[in-house]
Each structure stands twice: as C-alpha cells, then as structure tokens.
Amino acid sequence: MSNYYQDKVFSKFSFTSKLLSKTEFDTCIFKNCNFSELHINDSEFLACEFIDCDFGNARLKGSSFKDASFQNCKMMGIQFFEVDTFLLKMEFSGCQLNYSSFYQLKMPNFRFSNCNLLEVDFTEADAKNTCFEKCDFNGAIFDETNLESTDFSTSTNFSIDLDKNNVKNAVFSKENIINLLTKYQIKVR
C-alpha cells in the first residue's frame, strides 16, 4: 500500500493486514470499510470522512485525525487517548462508541450527535465546549472531567458528580437535570 493518498474514495475496502503504519490520507472518503482489529500506527487522516465503517477494537496509536468526521460507524472499544493530539478534531454522528476511552484526552469543541456512549470513559478528559446532541451515556464515567460550557441538553442516562467534575456553564435540560443528583439518592417529583 502506498504511503500517501489524496482525494481518494475507498468503498467496501477491507484492511486485511493487521497493521497500517505511517500512511497519510488527505481529504479521502471511506465508505463501508473494515478497520476492525487493525493497528493504525503513526498515520494521518486530514479532512477525511468515514461513513458506515467498522473500527471495532482497532488501535489508533500515534495516528492523527485532523478535521475527521465519522458517520454511522461502529467504534467500540477504541482507546482514543492513544491518538496524536496535535490539531485533533473529530465529529461523530450516529456512531456506536460503546466501551471506548477518552481518558485524559484534550477534546475541546468535539461534536457527538445521536451516538451511543455506553460505559465510555471520560476520566480526566478536557471536553470543554463539546456538544453531545441526543447521546446515550448509560454507564459512562466522568471523573475529574472538564465539561465547562459542554452541551448535554438533549442527552440521556448520564451520571455526573458535580463535586468531581468542572461543569461551569454546561447546558442541561429540565428533563435531564435529575442525572446530576444521582449520587444524593433523592427523589424529585
């Protein structure tokens, strides 16, 4: 495989080798591609779109995603904290991100829309100004997480300890504010 691709469309492509290393993709589109179990090391994805792709248990060690968008992708078990954070910007729409980890990741201004984030770890992440639109956070972990000015107004099933996380100027709806009181074991009627 070449080490540089620009403006290329990969459709129904299966990355069959177990390693993709030091490869650059510039404004490429990936449709129905299989990256599952793949080790993607020190590769760069600049302004790339991923549509209906499977990243199940892929490793992204040292790879960079600059202005990358993921639509309807299966991304379960991804250790996002292993990516290169220089100019990191990702957007997720309709993705399955269950059991993934954003541990200590600087991810300000990310956007998640209609995503399942079941048991995702956001411990010590910086998610300032992030938008979580219509996301399900059942079992997700927020511990020492910077959620300043983050929008949770249309999301559900999150449990955020106000004493352990920075939620200054974060946005919640009247309907989901009860999720902030879980630790107090009170009933609101």
Side-chain angles (χ1 to χ4, degrees):
M1 181 170 238
S2 172
N3 287 334
Y4 181 76
Y5 297 93
Q6 183 173 11
D7 299 321
K8 183 164 173 55
V9 175
F10 295 86
S11 183
K12 297 182 181 178
F13 190 83
S14 183
F15 292 85
T16 55
S17 95
K18 292 294 177 193
L19 178 66
L20 177 65
S21 184
K22 297 180 181 172
T23 305
E24 294 180 47
F25 298 92
D26 188 350
T27 57
C28 291
I29 298 173
F30 300 86
K31 294 181 181 178
N32 294 301
C33 291
N34 185 4
F35 296 91
S36 65
E37 306 289 334
L38 184 69
H39 287 235
I40 305 170
N41 294 338
D42 302 314
S43 293
E44 182 175 328
F45 298 87
L46 175 62
C48 290
E49 289 181 61
F50 300 88
I51 304 163
D52 298 316
C53 294
D54 183 356
F55 281 87
N57 293 314
R59 296 283 310 266
L60 309 176
K61 191 166 182 132
S63 292
S64 62
F65 293 85
K66 300 169 182 169
D67 202 23
S69 70
F70 301 87
Q71 300 166 35
N72 302 315
C73 292
K74 180 182 174 186
M75 306 185 78
M76 296 179 13
I78 304 291
Q79 306 299 312
F80 285 99
F81 59 84
E82 294 182 334
V83 301
D84 180 351
T85 59
F86 183 69
L87 299 176
L88 177 66
K89 185 175 180 192
M90 296 172 149
E91 183 173 306
F92 303 91
S93 176
C95 293
Q96 301 287 327
L97 292 147
N98 305 342
Y99 315 109
S100 293
S101 179
F102 292 90
Y103 174 72
Q104 291 186 334
L105 186 66
K106 291 185 185 337
M107 48 186 279
N109 303 305
F110 274 33
R111 181 171 186 81
F112 296 81
S113 177
N114 295 302
C115 292
N116 284 329
L117 296 152
L118 308 180
E119 297 189 33
V120 170
D121 186 2
F122 290 99
T123 301
E124 297 179 24
D126 181 357
K128 184 177 181 179
N129 293 314
T130 292
C131 180
F132 293 108
E133 179 185 10
K134 297 180 182 173
C135 293
D136 184 351
F137 288 96
N138 196 6
I141 301 166
F142 296 94
D143 189 17
E144 300 296 326
T145 308
N146 183 5
L147 300 169
E148 185 177 342
S149 300
T150 295
D151 187 349
F152 287 95
S153 62
T154 58
S155 290
T156 59
N157 298 320
F158 53 82
S159 179
I160 300 172
D161 187 333
L162 298 175
D163 297 327
K164 293 184 177 181
N165 298 282
N166 177 7
V167 293
K168 181 179 179 184
N169 295 318
V171 180
F172 301 92
S173 70
K174 291 176 188 173
E175 293 77 27
N176 69 14
I177 196 98
I178 193 72
N179 295 320
L180 301 175
L181 305 173
T182 304
K183 92 172 203 176
Y184 301 109
Q185 299 178 3
I186 61 174
K187 295 178 182 174
V188 177
R189 295 181 190 219

